[in-house]
Structures are given as structure tokens and as C-alpha cells.
Amino acid sequence: MNGPAPGAPGTARTLVAGVGNIFLGDDGFGVETLRRLAREELPAHVELTDVGVRGVHLAYELLDGWDTLVLVDVTARGGEPGTLYLIDASAADARGTEPAPLDGHRMTPDAVLALLDTLCAGTGAAPPRRILVVGCEPALLDEGIGLSPQVAAAVPEAVRMVTELVRQEAAV
């Protein structure tokens, strides 16, 4: 990697990852939000990646020295469909301590973060300093392409939230 070291003032590297399966209704929220974020003017040290359902790929990507990870995904927490949540998942104990099974078909964000801890321990790499989740309460997770009206209506606000977060992180 060329340029300033990760963590140097004004150079905090941030990865924004859109997670989800576009063939399962509202599970495509993270991917759609990322698609719209690609139209925004973001700080130079921000990279967007459409992870989709490739969680193992994300775990290995995170070994590349990111200061901040922003995951964008559906998050069922019992609220009204379309409700947005900002979750700080930085604390390892908030993610659990069980080792993640390496199953490419079941790599939820929780499993990815647990795998990341295992990979970092084995390689000596450091996990991101901050891990934030911008989540949206889903209405429908059935087979089918397209977001429910409630979740589709939440996408512009999610774009605003992520844009604000990455600008704040770039200023650190």
C-alpha cells in the first residue's frame, strides 16, 4: 500500500460494504444503498464494495488495513419496516466470541466479523478500529427482486447517514 499509513491524521481509510441478496426482497437493501452511494461525492479515503452474499470475501478484504468498516444491511430488530438503525459493532464482545464456521452460504455480517477476529489472530493483522452497521428493518424477505415500499423509502436516508458517517471518519 502506498501513501500515508492507515490511521494517520486525515487519512482514515473507510470501507463501506453493501451486504445482501437482491433475490430476497428487502435483503437487497445494502446493495441498493451502495449503488446509490456510488453517485455521491465521498472523501478520497473511502471505498465502496458491493459484497452481496460474499461474506468470506469481505472478511479477507478487511485484512488490508481499514480504519473503519461501515456495513449496510437489513437488520431485523422488531421495529417498523423501514426503520433505520446505527449500530456500533466495534466491541469484540458485542460480536460474540464463538469462532465462525467457514460456510460461504451462511456468512452473515455477525459470522464475517467473528471470522475476521479469527483471521486477524492468525495473521497478525488488525481489525478495523470502528465497525458500524447502518441497518434497516425489513418488511419482506421472501423470494423476489425489489424492495418493499417501506424499505425503498428508507434508502435515501441511509445514503445520507452513510455519507455523514464517512465524512466524520475522514476528519478524524
Side-chain angles (χ1 to χ4, degrees), residues 38-53:
R39 301 180 202 155
E40 300 294 314
E41 189 171 321
L42 300 172
H45 298 286
V46 174
E47 184 174 317
L48 303 176
T49 186
D50 175 355
V51 177
V53 294

Side-chain angles (χ1 to χ4, degrees), residues 7-155:
T11 63
R13 294 180 66 220
T14 300
L15 180 65
V16 179
V19 180
N21 185 338
I22 63 168
F23 298 110
L24 294 177
D26 289 341
D27 198 39
F29 166 77
V31 174
E32 176 62 19
T33 300
L34 195 80
R35 186 181 70 80
R36 296 209 197 161
L37 275 166
R39 301 180 202 155
E40 300 294 314
E41 189 171 321
L42 300 172
H45 298 286
V46 174
E47 184 174 317
L48 303 176
T49 186
D50 175 355
V51 177
V53 294
R54 299 179 328 268
V56 173
H57 173 79
L58 175 61
Y60 281 100
E61 172 81 20
L62 291 171
L63 295 176
D64 194 29
W66 297 97
D67 296 293
T68 302
L69 167 65
V70 179
L71 285 171
V72 184
D73 197 7
V74 291
T75 308
R77 297 175 68 93
E80 290 293 317
T83 300
L84 293 174
Y85 306 104
L86 177 59
I87 303 160
D88 187 340
S90 299
D93 57 345
R95 300 193 304 262
T97 57
E98 292 296 314
L102 189 53
D103 179 350
H105 298 288
R106 294 191 182 136
M107 289 302 290
T108 64
D110 289 344
V112 169
L113 296 177
L115 176 60
L116 175 63
D117 289 340
T118 301
L119 292 173
C120 286
T123 63
R129 174 181 53 82
R130 290 193 74 198
I131 301 171
L132 304 169
V133 178
V134 173
C136 183
E137 188 74 41
L140 299 169
L141 296 173
D142 298 331
E143 286 186 24
I145 297 176
L147 302 176
S148 67
Q150 302 96 317
V151 171
V155 170

